[in-house]
Amino acid sequence: MENINTANIGPVRSKERYIILDALRGLALFGICLANFPEFSLYSFLKSEATAEMPTAGIDRIIRYLQYIFIDGKFYTLFSLLFGIGFSIIISNAMRKHVNGFSIFYRRMTMLLLIGFVHLMFIWSGDILMLYALLGMFLPLFRNVSNKGLLVASAIFLLLPIGIDTLIMITGINPSAAVVRTQQYYCARYGITDENFAYWLRNANTYTDVFKFLIQGAFVRMQEFIDGNRAFKVMGLFLLGFYIGRNRLYARLEDKKTLLKQVAVWGSVIGLPTSLFYAWSAMNGHPWGLAGHTFLYTISIFPLGMAYMAGICLCYLRNKEYPFFHWLAAPGRMALTNYIGQSVLGILVFYGIGFGLGANTGLVYVLLIAAGIYVVEVLFSHLWLFYYRYGPLEWVWRMLTYGKWLPLRKGRNL
């Protein structure tokens, strides 16, 4: 590989940014916040008897259905597509500046892997960054694949989990068995049981207790990735995003208005009804079996997630100066900082080392808290970016990637 000429490379400048990509990223962060906070609040860990005794039990069940229909999986779909688009932008910028974009990209993924590891092991077990970084390292293998080839490969990866889960149902194989045994070992070692699992973090008075839960939680996360075939799903979305980015569809929205309308309409027509069945399956213990639930996931989550993206793009075309998009763009420009920030604030609100509201708060209030935290992040992002070029974690990530000092405050030349 060529040596990197650090004098010619650097992060995307403000004038090179597309506000629609930042706005979509900001919207994805909001959806991810709503999706993750039932776990931060420990509501997702509670047994049905405990949730049924809450004063908000009736409305919580309705909210849970609505969450499965409109939120679950849709925004990580959007976030993953944007990651693939970002990869194409990094490569195209590097080629334009005559530098080795792949070296830059691998350094960027290595730094993201380290950030994700710290997040997973020391802050929250629901991290997605490590998986993104590891899978991202495979993206350069597809750089010379044709557009048709990218679409075919994306479809194969997205459909593969249905076949895998069908095979698992037939054979009875449990791919995550070893991970589960390791997780159970650490639970036994630290005294984490079925009875105190949902309350452990709420009752944790010291970070040491939190860290014990995070150790076993890392293996729970691995189990989720294996059982959910998450790597195949994310890779399929990465490749679809890479296709969008390579063809610069985000820069030609006006020309692609007909396509956007088709995606918005058909994504909704397919995704909304099937999301109703998916929600029912999720709320009732997968009565059609593992493969049936995965099939419903595939034909509901991905079409509706794509419809969200297309719909926002169409709204953007109608009024590009509408303040809504500028408000969403600020947290989108600081996506890493805000993603990690949601974890820190979730701990502060719900864990015993913070305010200790976990396992006692109904789902409707959990989502209201999540929405409030997102509003705080929007306000913080606008204030921060008024004075600074990048979010704090984005600044560190970029400097580690490019191997040089980058001025943070505005008013100085890069």
Side-chain angles (χ1 to χ4, degrees), residues 69 74 77 158-159 161-162 233 266-278 288 291-307:
I69 295 169
K74 282 77 174 179
T77 293
L158 293 177
L159 294 173
I162 300 174
K233 297 172 183 176
W266 284 107
S268 299
V269 167
I270 296 171
L272 273 175
T274 51
S275 289
L276 295 174
F277 288 105
Y278 167 72
W288 293 319
H293 185 73
T294 302
F295 174 75
L296 288 173
Y297 183 101
T298 302
I299 63 173
S300 63
I301 300 295
F302 303 135
L304 196 53
M306 291 294 295

PDB file of all heavy atoms in Angstrom, residues 69 74 77 158-159 161-162 233 266-278 288 291-307:
ATOM      1  N   ILE A  69     -43.687  -2.051  16.084  1.00  0.00           N
ATOM      2  CA  ILE A  69     -44.179  -1.723  14.747  1.00  0.00           C
ATOM      3  C   ILE A  69     -43.360  -0.630  14.087  1.00  0.00           C
ATOM      4  O   ILE A  69     -42.935  -0.761  12.926  1.00  0.00           O
ATOM      5  CB  ILE A  69     -45.666  -1.294  14.812  1.00  0.00           C
ATOM      6  CG1 ILE A  69     -46.543  -2.469  15.259  1.00  0.00           C
ATOM      7  CG2 ILE A  69     -46.147  -0.779  13.449  1.00  0.00           C
ATOM      8  CD1 ILE A  69     -47.964  -2.066  15.592  1.00  0.00           C
ATOM      9  N   LYS A  74     -35.842  -0.459  12.729  1.00  0.00           N
ATOM     10  CA  LYS A  74     -35.934   0.465  11.594  1.00  0.00           C
ATOM     11  C   LYS A  74     -34.813   1.498  11.597  1.00  0.00           C
ATOM     12  O   LYS A  74     -34.280   1.857  10.542  1.00  0.00           O
ATOM     13  CB  LYS A  74     -37.280   1.194  11.607  1.00  0.00           C
ATOM     14  CG  LYS A  74     -38.463   0.390  11.092  1.00  0.00           C
ATOM     15  CD  LYS A  74     -38.959  -0.622  12.093  1.00  0.00           C
ATOM     16  CE  LYS A  74     -40.222  -1.325  11.629  1.00  0.00           C
ATOM     17  NZ  LYS A  74     -40.695  -2.342  12.603  1.00  0.00           N
ATOM     18  N   THR A  77     -31.396   0.081  10.902  1.00  0.00           N
ATOM     19  CA  THR A  77     -31.341  -0.088   9.453  1.00  0.00           C
ATOM     20  C   THR A  77     -30.858   1.199   8.796  1.00  0.00           C
ATOM     21  O   THR A  77     -29.953   1.194   7.952  1.00  0.00           O
ATOM     22  CB  THR A  77     -32.733  -0.466   8.900  1.00  0.00           C
ATOM     23  OG1 THR A  77     -33.087  -1.760   9.376  1.00  0.00           O
ATOM     24  CG2 THR A  77     -32.747  -0.456   7.385  1.00  0.00           C
ATOM     25  N   LEU A 158     -29.021 -10.124   3.416  1.00  0.00           N
ATOM     26  CA  LEU A 158     -30.242  -9.799   4.157  1.00  0.00           C
ATOM     27  C   LEU A 158     -31.186 -10.989   4.263  1.00  0.00           C
ATOM     28  O   LEU A 158     -31.922 -11.125   5.250  1.00  0.00           O
ATOM     29  CB  LEU A 158     -30.950  -8.620   3.486  1.00  0.00           C
ATOM     30  CG  LEU A 158     -30.226  -7.276   3.549  1.00  0.00           C
ATOM     31  CD1 LEU A 158     -30.998  -6.207   2.789  1.00  0.00           C
ATOM     32  CD2 LEU A 158     -29.992  -6.824   4.989  1.00  0.00           C
ATOM     33  N   LEU A 159     -31.163 -11.861   3.264  1.00  0.00           N
ATOM     34  CA  LEU A 159     -32.060 -13.023   3.258  1.00  0.00           C
ATOM     35  C   LEU A 159     -31.440 -14.247   3.933  1.00  0.00           C
ATOM     36  O   LEU A 159     -32.171 -15.163   4.339  1.00  0.00           O
ATOM     37  CB  LEU A 159     -32.438 -13.375   1.816  1.00  0.00           C
ATOM     38  CG  LEU A 159     -33.295 -12.341   1.074  1.00  0.00           C
ATOM     39  CD1 LEU A 159     -33.448 -12.740  -0.384  1.00  0.00           C
ATOM     40  CD2 LEU A 159     -34.664 -12.182   1.736  1.00  0.00           C
ATOM     41  N   PRO A 161     -30.231 -14.888   6.912  1.00  0.00           N
ATOM     42  CA  PRO A 161     -30.713 -15.302   8.237  1.00  0.00           C
ATOM     43  C   PRO A 161     -31.956 -16.190   8.208  1.00  0.00           C
ATOM     44  O   PRO A 161     -32.128 -17.034   9.096  1.00  0.00           O
ATOM     45  CB  PRO A 161     -31.001 -13.959   8.932  1.00  0.00           C
ATOM     46  CG  PRO A 161     -30.047 -13.013   8.289  1.00  0.00           C
ATOM     47  CD  PRO A 161     -29.993 -13.432   6.854  1.00  0.00           C
ATOM     48  N   ILE A 162     -32.818 -16.021   7.216  1.00  0.00           N
ATOM     49  CA  ILE A 162     -34.008 -16.880   7.129  1.00  0.00           C
ATOM     50  C   ILE A 162     -33.586 -18.332   6.919  1.00  0.00           C
ATOM     51  O   ILE A 162     -34.092 -19.252   7.577  1.00  0.00           O
ATOM     52  CB  ILE A 162     -34.924 -16.419   5.979  1.00  0.00           C
ATOM     53  CG1 ILE A 162     -35.382 -14.978   6.209  1.00  0.00           C
ATOM     54  CG2 ILE A 162     -36.131 -17.354   5.860  1.00  0.00           C
ATOM     55  CD1 ILE A 162     -36.176 -14.403   5.046  1.00  0.00           C
ATOM     56  N   LYS A 233     -27.104  -9.286   8.562  1.00  0.00           N
ATOM     57  CA  LYS A 233     -28.039  -8.187   8.325  1.00  0.00           C
ATOM     58  C   LYS A 233     -27.299  -6.866   8.146  1.00  0.00           C
ATOM     59  O   LYS A 233     -27.585  -6.105   7.211  1.00  0.00           O
ATOM     60  CB  LYS A 233     -29.020  -8.083   9.501  1.00  0.00           C
ATOM     61  CG  LYS A 233     -29.910  -9.305   9.683  1.00  0.00           C
ATOM     62  CD  LYS A 233     -30.716  -9.220  10.961  1.00  0.00           C
ATOM     63  CE  LYS A 233     -31.554 -10.466  11.187  1.00  0.00           C
ATOM     64  NZ  LYS A 233     -32.272 -10.437  12.492  1.00  0.00           N
ATOM     65  N   TRP A 266     -43.834   1.722  -1.662  1.00  0.00           N
ATOM     66  CA  TRP A 266     -43.764   0.259  -1.571  1.00  0.00           C
ATOM     67  C   TRP A 266     -43.162  -0.204  -0.245  1.00  0.00           C
ATOM     68  O   TRP A 266     -43.550  -1.238   0.290  1.00  0.00           O
ATOM     69  CB  TRP A 266     -42.979  -0.304  -2.755  1.00  0.00           C
ATOM     70  CG  TRP A 266     -43.776  -0.296  -4.009  1.00  0.00           C
ATOM     71  CD1 TRP A 266     -43.628   0.522  -5.093  1.00  0.00           C
ATOM     72  CD2 TRP A 266     -44.901  -1.131  -4.300  1.00  0.00           C
ATOM     73  NE1 TRP A 266     -44.578   0.257  -6.045  1.00  0.00           N
ATOM     74  CE2 TRP A 266     -45.376  -0.761  -5.592  1.00  0.00           C
ATOM     75  CE3 TRP A 266     -45.560  -2.147  -3.619  1.00  0.00           C
ATOM     76  CZ2 TRP A 266     -46.466  -1.390  -6.187  1.00  0.00           C
ATOM     77  CZ3 TRP A 266     -46.650  -2.769  -4.210  1.00  0.00           C
ATOM     78  CH2 TRP A 266     -47.093  -2.389  -5.481  1.00  0.00           C
ATOM     79  N   GLY A 267     -42.205   0.570   0.277  1.00  0.00           N
ATOM     80  CA  GLY A 267     -41.657   0.225   1.590  1.00  0.00           C
ATOM     81  C   GLY A 267     -42.719   0.269   2.668  1.00  0.00           C
ATOM     82  O   GLY A 267     -42.758  -0.582   3.565  1.00  0.00           O
ATOM     83  N   SER A 268     -43.630   1.248   2.566  1.00  0.00           N
ATOM     84  CA  SER A 268     -44.714   1.363   3.540  1.00  0.00           C
ATOM     85  C   SER A 268     -45.783   0.302   3.310  1.00  0.00           C
ATOM     86  O   SER A 268     -46.293  -0.301   4.262  1.00  0.00           O
ATOM     87  CB  SER A 268     -45.339   2.755   3.457  1.00  0.00           C
ATOM     88  OG  SER A 268     -44.391   3.761   3.754  1.00  0.00           O
ATOM     89  N   VAL A 269     -46.131   0.087   2.047  1.00  0.00           N
ATOM     90  CA  VAL A 269     -47.163  -0.899   1.714  1.00  0.00           C
ATOM     91  C   VAL A 269     -46.757  -2.299   2.180  1.00  0.00           C
ATOM     92  O   VAL A 269     -47.577  -3.063   2.683  1.00  0.00           O
ATOM     93  CB  VAL A 269     -47.441  -0.898   0.190  1.00  0.00           C
ATOM     94  CG1 VAL A 269     -48.275  -2.116  -0.217  1.00  0.00           C
ATOM     95  CG2 VAL A 269     -48.147   0.392  -0.206  1.00  0.00           C
ATOM     96  N   ILE A 270     -45.469  -2.606   2.011  1.00  0.00           N
ATOM     97  CA  ILE A 270     -44.982  -3.922   2.440  1.00  0.00           C
ATOM     98  C   ILE A 270     -44.653  -3.925   3.926  1.00  0.00           C
ATOM     99  O   ILE A 270     -45.014  -4.850   4.663  1.00  0.00           O
ATOM    100  CB  ILE A 270     -43.732  -4.322   1.621  1.00  0.00           C
ATOM    101  CG1 ILE A 270     -44.096  -4.486   0.144  1.00  0.00           C
ATOM    102  CG2 ILE A 270     -43.123  -5.616   2.164  1.00  0.00           C
ATOM    103  CD1 ILE A 270     -42.892  -4.673  -0.765  1.00  0.00           C
ATOM    104  N   GLY A 271     -43.954  -2.883   4.373  1.00  0.00           N
ATOM    105  CA  GLY A 271     -43.402  -2.883   5.722  1.00  0.00           C
ATOM    106  C   GLY A 271     -44.397  -2.667   6.837  1.00  0.00           C
ATOM    107  O   GLY A 271     -44.272  -3.274   7.912  1.00  0.00           O
ATOM    108  N   LEU A 272     -45.417  -1.830   6.626  1.00  0.00           N
ATOM    109  CA  LEU A 272     -46.366  -1.547   7.709  1.00  0.00           C
ATOM    110  C   LEU A 272     -47.234  -2.756   8.069  1.00  0.00           C
ATOM    111  O   LEU A 272     -47.302  -3.136   9.247  1.00  0.00           O
ATOM    112  CB  LEU A 272     -47.234  -0.345   7.344  1.00  0.00           C
ATOM    113  CG  LEU A 272     -46.661   1.029   7.712  1.00  0.00           C
ATOM    114  CD1 LEU A 272     -47.561   2.143   7.195  1.00  0.00           C
ATOM    115  CD2 LEU A 272     -46.488   1.155   9.221  1.00  0.00           C
ATOM    116  N   PRO A 273     -47.903  -3.385   7.117  1.00  0.00           N
ATOM    117  CA  PRO A 273     -48.726  -4.560   7.496  1.00  0.00           C
ATOM    118  C   PRO A 273     -47.895  -5.695   8.090  1.00  0.00           C
ATOM    119  O   PRO A 273     -48.321  -6.326   9.070  1.00  0.00           O
ATOM    120  CB  PRO A 273     -49.373  -4.986   6.165  1.00  0.00           C
ATOM    121  CG  PRO A 273     -49.298  -3.788   5.292  1.00  0.00           C
ATOM    122  CD  PRO A 273     -48.035  -3.081   5.682  1.00  0.00           C
ATOM    123  N   THR A 274     -46.736  -5.952   7.501  1.00  0.00           N
ATOM    124  CA  THR A 274     -45.910  -7.038   8.025  1.00  0.00           C
ATOM    125  C   THR A 274     -45.333  -6.693   9.394  1.00  0.00           C
ATOM    126  O   THR A 274     -45.074  -7.591  10.204  1.00  0.00           O
ATOM    127  CB  THR A 274     -44.763  -7.368   7.042  1.00  0.00           C
ATOM    128  OG1 THR A 274     -44.061  -6.164   6.696  1.00  0.00           O
ATOM    129  CG2 THR A 274     -45.295  -8.003   5.775  1.00  0.00           C
ATOM    130  N   SER A 275     -45.159  -5.404   9.674  1.00  0.00           N
ATOM    131  CA  SER A 275     -44.695  -4.992  11.006  1.00  0.00           C
ATOM    132  C   SER A 275     -45.733  -5.300  12.067  1.00  0.00           C
ATOM    133  O   SER A 275     -45.396  -5.559  13.226  1.00  0.00           O
ATOM    134  CB  SER A 275     -44.356  -3.496  11.023  1.00  0.00           C
ATOM    135  OG  SER A 275     -43.174  -3.234  10.290  1.00  0.00           O
ATOM    136  N   LEU A 276     -47.009  -5.272  11.696  1.00  0.00           N
ATOM    137  CA  LEU A 276     -48.066  -5.648  12.638  1.00  0.00           C
ATOM    138  C   LEU A 276     -47.922  -7.116  13.034  1.00  0.00           C
ATOM    139  O   LEU A 276     -48.026  -7.471  14.213  1.00  0.00           O
ATOM    140  CB  LEU A 276     -49.437  -5.395  12.014  1.00  0.00           C
ATOM    141  CG  LEU A 276     -49.803  -3.937  11.723  1.00  0.00           C
ATOM    142  CD1 LEU A 276     -51.129  -3.873  10.969  1.00  0.00           C
ATOM    143  CD2 LEU A 276     -49.895  -3.139  13.013  1.00  0.00           C
ATOM    144  N   PHE A 277     -47.668  -7.970  12.048  1.00  0.00           N
ATOM    145  CA  PHE A 277     -47.468  -9.393  12.329  1.00  0.00           C
ATOM    146  C   PHE A 277     -46.169  -9.617  13.098  1.00  0.00           C
ATOM    147  O   PHE A 277     -46.110 -10.463  13.999  1.00  0.00           O
ATOM    148  CB  PHE A 277     -47.460 -10.200  11.029  1.00  0.00           C
ATOM    149  CG  PHE A 277     -48.796 -10.319  10.384  1.00  0.00           C
ATOM    150  CD1 PHE A 277     -49.098  -9.573   9.252  1.00  0.00           C
ATOM    151  CD2 PHE A 277     -49.775 -11.159  10.897  1.00  0.00           C
ATOM    152  CE1 PHE A 277     -50.345  -9.674   8.643  1.00  0.00           C
ATOM    153  CE2 PHE A 277     -51.019 -11.269  10.304  1.00  0.00           C
ATOM    154  CZ  PHE A 277     -51.301 -10.523   9.169  1.00  0.00           C
ATOM    155  N   TYR A 278     -45.124  -8.856  12.741  1.00  0.00           N
ATOM    156  CA  TYR A 278     -43.845  -8.975  13.450  1.00  0.00           C
ATOM    157  C   TYR A 278     -44.014  -8.600  14.928  1.00  0.00           C
ATOM    158  O   TYR A 278     -43.504  -9.297  15.814  1.00  0.00           O
ATOM    159  CB  TYR A 278     -42.802  -8.077  12.790  1.00  0.00           C
ATOM    160  CG  TYR A 278     -41.554  -7.890  13.625  1.00  0.00           C
ATOM    161  CD1 TYR A 278     -40.635  -8.922  13.778  1.00  0.00           C
ATOM    162  CD2 TYR A 278     -41.313  -6.682  14.292  1.00  0.00           C
ATOM    163  CE1 TYR A 278     -39.500  -8.762  14.553  1.00  0.00           C
ATOM    164  CE2 TYR A 278     -40.188  -6.515  15.072  1.00  0.00           C
ATOM    165  CZ  TYR A 278     -39.279  -7.553  15.202  1.00  0.00           C
ATOM    166  OH  TYR A 278     -38.166  -7.394  15.986  1.00  0.00           O
ATOM    167  N   TRP A 288     -44.820 -18.704  15.417  1.00  0.00           N
ATOM    168  CA  TRP A 288     -44.580 -19.333  14.119  1.00  0.00           C
ATOM    169  C   TRP A 288     -43.152 -19.858  13.997  1.00  0.00           C
ATOM    170  O   TRP A 288     -42.680 -20.154  12.905  1.00  0.00           O
ATOM    171  CB  TRP A 288     -44.878 -18.348  12.991  1.00  0.00           C
ATOM    172  CG  TRP A 288     -46.334 -18.014  12.906  1.00  0.00           C
ATOM    173  CD1 TRP A 288     -47.374 -18.871  13.035  1.00  0.00           C
ATOM    174  CD2 TRP A 288     -46.897 -16.720  12.707  1.00  0.00           C
ATOM    175  NE1 TRP A 288     -48.573 -18.206  12.913  1.00  0.00           N
ATOM    176  CE2 TRP A 288     -48.318 -16.878  12.715  1.00  0.00           C
ATOM    177  CE3 TRP A 288     -46.373 -15.441  12.521  1.00  0.00           C
ATOM    178  CZ2 TRP A 288     -49.190 -15.804  12.542  1.00  0.00           C
ATOM    179  CZ3 TRP A 288     -47.239 -14.378  12.339  1.00  0.00           C
ATOM    180  CH2 TRP A 288     -48.635 -14.560  12.346  1.00  0.00           C
ATOM    181  N   ALA A 291     -37.674 -19.373  12.455  1.00  0.00           N
ATOM    182  CA  ALA A 291     -37.555 -19.001  11.044  1.00  0.00           C
ATOM    183  C   ALA A 291     -38.710 -18.108  10.612  1.00  0.00           C
ATOM    184  O   ALA A 291     -38.522 -17.164   9.834  1.00  0.00           O
ATOM    185  CB  ALA A 291     -37.484 -20.253  10.178  1.00  0.00           C
ATOM    186  N   GLY A 292     -39.907 -18.392  11.115  1.00  0.00           N
ATOM    187  CA  GLY A 292     -41.058 -17.565  10.779  1.00  0.00           C
ATOM    188  C   GLY A 292     -40.896 -16.147  11.291  1.00  0.00           C
ATOM    189  O   GLY A 292     -41.231 -15.174  10.592  1.00  0.00           O
ATOM    190  N   HIS A 293     -40.376 -16.013  12.512  1.00  0.00           N
ATOM    191  CA  HIS A 293     -40.161 -14.687  13.079  1.00  0.00           C
ATOM    192  C   HIS A 293     -39.079 -13.937  12.296  1.00  0.00           C
ATOM    193  O   HIS A 293     -39.218 -12.728  12.052  1.00  0.00           O
ATOM    194  CB  HIS A 293     -39.756 -14.810  14.548  1.00  0.00           C
ATOM    195  CG  HIS A 293     -39.623 -13.493  15.249  1.00  0.00           C
ATOM    196  ND1 HIS A 293     -40.714 -12.726  15.594  1.00  0.00           N
ATOM    197  CD2 HIS A 293     -38.520 -12.796  15.659  1.00  0.00           C
ATOM    198  CE1 HIS A 293     -40.304 -11.619  16.191  1.00  0.00           C
ATOM    199  NE2 HIS A 293     -38.986 -11.634  16.237  1.00  0.00           N
ATOM    200  N   THR A 294     -38.027 -14.630  11.915  1.00  0.00           N
ATOM    201  CA  THR A 294     -36.964 -13.998  11.129  1.00  0.00           C
ATOM    202  C   THR A 294     -37.481 -13.549   9.769  1.00  0.00           C
ATOM    203  O   THR A 294     -37.095 -12.485   9.264  1.00  0.00           O
ATOM    204  CB  THR A 294     -35.787 -14.971  10.950  1.00  0.00           C
ATOM    205  OG1 THR A 294     -35.307 -15.363  12.242  1.00  0.00           O
ATOM    206  CG2 THR A 294     -34.654 -14.330  10.169  1.00  0.00           C
ATOM    207  N   PHE A 295     -38.349 -14.358   9.170  1.00  0.00           N
ATOM    208  CA  PHE A 295     -38.961 -13.982   7.890  1.00  0.00           C
ATOM    209  C   PHE A 295     -39.769 -12.695   8.043  1.00  0.00           C
ATOM    210  O   PHE A 295     -39.664 -11.767   7.227  1.00  0.00           O
ATOM    211  CB  PHE A 295     -39.851 -15.112   7.381  1.00  0.00           C
ATOM    212  CG  PHE A 295     -40.627 -14.759   6.141  1.00  0.00           C
ATOM    213  CD1 PHE A 295     -39.994 -14.699   4.908  1.00  0.00           C
ATOM    214  CD2 PHE A 295     -41.982 -14.491   6.220  1.00  0.00           C
ATOM    215  CE1 PHE A 295     -40.714 -14.361   3.765  1.00  0.00           C
ATOM    216  CE2 PHE A 295     -42.702 -14.160   5.087  1.00  0.00           C
ATOM    217  CZ  PHE A 295     -42.065 -14.096   3.854  1.00  0.00           C
ATOM    218  N   LEU A 296     -40.569 -12.620   9.116  1.00  0.00           N
ATOM    219  CA  LEU A 296     -41.351 -11.410   9.367  1.00  0.00           C
ATOM    220  C   LEU A 296     -40.442 -10.211   9.606  1.00  0.00           C
ATOM    221  O   LEU A 296     -40.735  -9.092   9.151  1.00  0.00           O
ATOM    222  CB  LEU A 296     -42.272 -11.623  10.570  1.00  0.00           C
ATOM    223  CG  LEU A 296     -43.465 -12.563  10.357  1.00  0.00           C
ATOM    224  CD1 LEU A 296     -44.182 -12.810  11.680  1.00  0.00           C
ATOM    225  CD2 LEU A 296     -44.423 -11.983   9.329  1.00  0.00           C
ATOM    226  N   TYR A 297     -39.363 -10.431  10.335  1.00  0.00           N
ATOM    227  CA  TYR A 297     -38.390  -9.364  10.579  1.00  0.00           C
ATOM    228  C   TYR A 297     -37.864  -8.818   9.253  1.00  0.00           C
ATOM    229  O   TYR A 297     -37.816  -7.599   9.038  1.00  0.00           O
ATOM    230  CB  TYR A 297     -37.235  -9.913  11.428  1.00  0.00           C
ATOM    231  CG  TYR A 297     -36.190  -8.899  11.821  1.00  0.00           C
ATOM    232  CD1 TYR A 297     -36.178  -8.344  13.101  1.00  0.00           C
ATOM    233  CD2 TYR A 297     -35.191  -8.494  10.936  1.00  0.00           C
ATOM    234  CE1 TYR A 297     -35.222  -7.415  13.471  1.00  0.00           C
ATOM    235  CE2 TYR A 297     -34.233  -7.573  11.291  1.00  0.00           C
ATOM    236  CZ  TYR A 297     -34.254  -7.037  12.564  1.00  0.00           C
ATOM    237  OH  TYR A 297     -33.297  -6.108  12.922  1.00  0.00           O
ATOM    238  N   THR A 298     -37.486  -9.721   8.370  1.00  0.00           N
ATOM    239  CA  THR A 298     -36.860  -9.321   7.114  1.00  0.00           C
ATOM    240  C   THR A 298     -37.804  -8.527   6.225  1.00  0.00           C
ATOM    241  O   THR A 298     -37.402  -7.512   5.636  1.00  0.00           O
ATOM    242  CB  THR A 298     -36.366 -10.569   6.356  1.00  0.00           C
ATOM    243  OG1 THR A 298     -35.451 -11.289   7.197  1.00  0.00           O
ATOM    244  CG2 THR A 298     -35.669 -10.189   5.057  1.00  0.00           C
ATOM    245  N   ILE A 299     -39.062  -8.963   6.127  1.00  0.00           N
ATOM    246  CA  ILE A 299     -39.981  -8.303   5.210  1.00  0.00           C
ATOM    247  C   ILE A 299     -40.705  -7.122   5.842  1.00  0.00           C
ATOM    248  O   ILE A 299     -41.528  -6.471   5.181  1.00  0.00           O
ATOM    249  CB  ILE A 299     -41.016  -9.303   4.643  1.00  0.00           C
ATOM    250  CG1 ILE A 299     -41.894  -9.868   5.758  1.00  0.00           C
ATOM    251  CG2 ILE A 299     -40.320 -10.407   3.872  1.00  0.00           C
ATOM    252  CD1 ILE A 299     -43.037 -10.739   5.239  1.00  0.00           C
ATOM    253  N   SER A 300     -40.407  -6.829   7.103  1.00  0.00           N
ATOM    254  CA  SER A 300     -41.020  -5.666   7.757  1.00  0.00           C
ATOM    255  C   SER A 300     -39.991  -4.592   8.087  1.00  0.00           C
ATOM    256  O   SER A 300     -40.161  -3.421   7.719  1.00  0.00           O
ATOM    257  CB  SER A 300     -41.748  -6.095   9.035  1.00  0.00           C
ATOM    258  OG  SER A 300     -40.853  -6.642   9.996  1.00  0.00           O
ATOM    259  N   ILE A 301     -38.915  -4.988   8.742  1.00  0.00           N
ATOM    260  CA  ILE A 301     -37.923  -4.027   9.219  1.00  0.00           C
ATOM    261  C   ILE A 301     -37.250  -3.285   8.069  1.00  0.00           C
ATOM    262  O   ILE A 301     -37.201  -2.046   8.035  1.00  0.00           O
ATOM    263  CB  ILE A 301     -36.856  -4.727  10.083  1.00  0.00           C
ATOM    264  CG1 ILE A 301     -37.487  -5.390  11.309  1.00  0.00           C
ATOM    265  CG2 ILE A 301     -35.752  -3.744  10.481  1.00  0.00           C
ATOM    266  CD1 ILE A 301     -38.106  -4.456  12.283  1.00  0.00           C
ATOM    267  N   PHE A 302     -36.710  -4.023   7.120  1.00  0.00           N
ATOM    268  CA  PHE A 302     -35.918  -3.395   6.058  1.00  0.00           C
ATOM    269  C   PHE A 302     -36.763  -2.537   5.108  1.00  0.00           C
ATOM    270  O   PHE A 302     -36.374  -1.404   4.805  1.00  0.00           O
ATOM    271  CB  PHE A 302     -35.124  -4.452   5.290  1.00  0.00           C
ATOM    272  CG  PHE A 302     -34.211  -5.269   6.172  1.00  0.00           C
ATOM    273  CD1 PHE A 302     -34.130  -6.647   6.051  1.00  0.00           C
ATOM    274  CD2 PHE A 302     -33.432  -4.660   7.138  1.00  0.00           C
ATOM    275  CE1 PHE A 302     -33.306  -7.393   6.866  1.00  0.00           C
ATOM    276  CE2 PHE A 302     -32.589  -5.388   7.967  1.00  0.00           C
ATOM    277  CZ  PHE A 302     -32.525  -6.768   7.835  1.00  0.00           C
ATOM    278  N   PRO A 303     -37.925  -3.010   4.635  1.00  0.00           N
ATOM    279  CA  PRO A 303     -38.736  -2.140   3.775  1.00  0.00           C
ATOM    280  C   PRO A 303     -39.184  -0.852   4.464  1.00  0.00           C
ATOM    281  O   PRO A 303     -39.128   0.231   3.872  1.00  0.00           O
ATOM    282  CB  PRO A 303     -39.943  -3.020   3.411  1.00  0.00           C
ATOM    283  CG  PRO A 303     -39.448  -4.418   3.548  1.00  0.00           C
ATOM    284  CD  PRO A 303     -38.496  -4.383   4.704  1.00  0.00           C
ATOM    285  N   LEU A 304     -39.616  -0.963   5.729  1.00  0.00           N
ATOM    286  CA  LEU A 304     -40.095   0.230   6.421  1.00  0.00           C
ATOM    287  C   LEU A 304     -38.946   1.171   6.746  1.00  0.00           C
ATOM    288  O   LEU A 304     -39.098   2.402   6.680  1.00  0.00           O
ATOM    289  CB  LEU A 304     -40.851  -0.165   7.692  1.00  0.00           C
ATOM    290  CG  LEU A 304     -41.727   0.932   8.306  1.00  0.00           C
ATOM    291  CD1 LEU A 304     -42.682   1.510   7.280  1.00  0.00           C
ATOM    292  CD2 LEU A 304     -42.501   0.385   9.501  1.00  0.00           C
ATOM    293  N   GLY A 305     -37.779   0.625   7.094  1.00  0.00           N
ATOM    294  CA  GLY A 305     -36.607   1.470   7.317  1.00  0.00           C
ATOM    295  C   GLY A 305     -36.231   2.244   6.070  1.00  0.00           C
ATOM    296  O   GLY A 305     -35.898   3.440   6.125  1.00  0.00           O
ATOM    297  N   MET A 306     -36.292   1.589   4.901  1.00  0.00           N
ATOM    298  CA  MET A 306     -36.017   2.262   3.634  1.00  0.00           C
ATOM    299  C   MET A 306     -37.084   3.315   3.329  1.00  0.00           C
ATOM    300  O   MET A 306     -36.782   4.393   2.795  1.00  0.00           O
ATOM    301  CB  MET A 306     -35.955   1.239   2.504  1.00  0.00           C
ATOM    302  CG  MET A 306     -34.762   0.305   2.565  1.00  0.00           C
ATOM    303  SD  MET A 306     -33.199   1.188   2.299  1.00  0.00           S
ATOM    304  CE  MET A 306     -33.416   1.732   0.596  1.00  0.00           C
ATOM    305  N   ALA A 307     -38.335   3.016   3.683  1.00  0.00           N
ATOM    306  CA  ALA A 307     -39.411   3.983   3.473  1.00  0.00           C
ATOM    307  C   ALA A 307     -39.187   5.229   4.323  1.00  0.00           C
ATOM    308  O   ALA A 307     -39.452   6.357   3.872  1.00  0.00           O
ATOM    309  CB  ALA A 307     -40.763   3.351   3.808  1.00  0.00           C
TER     310      ALA A 307
END
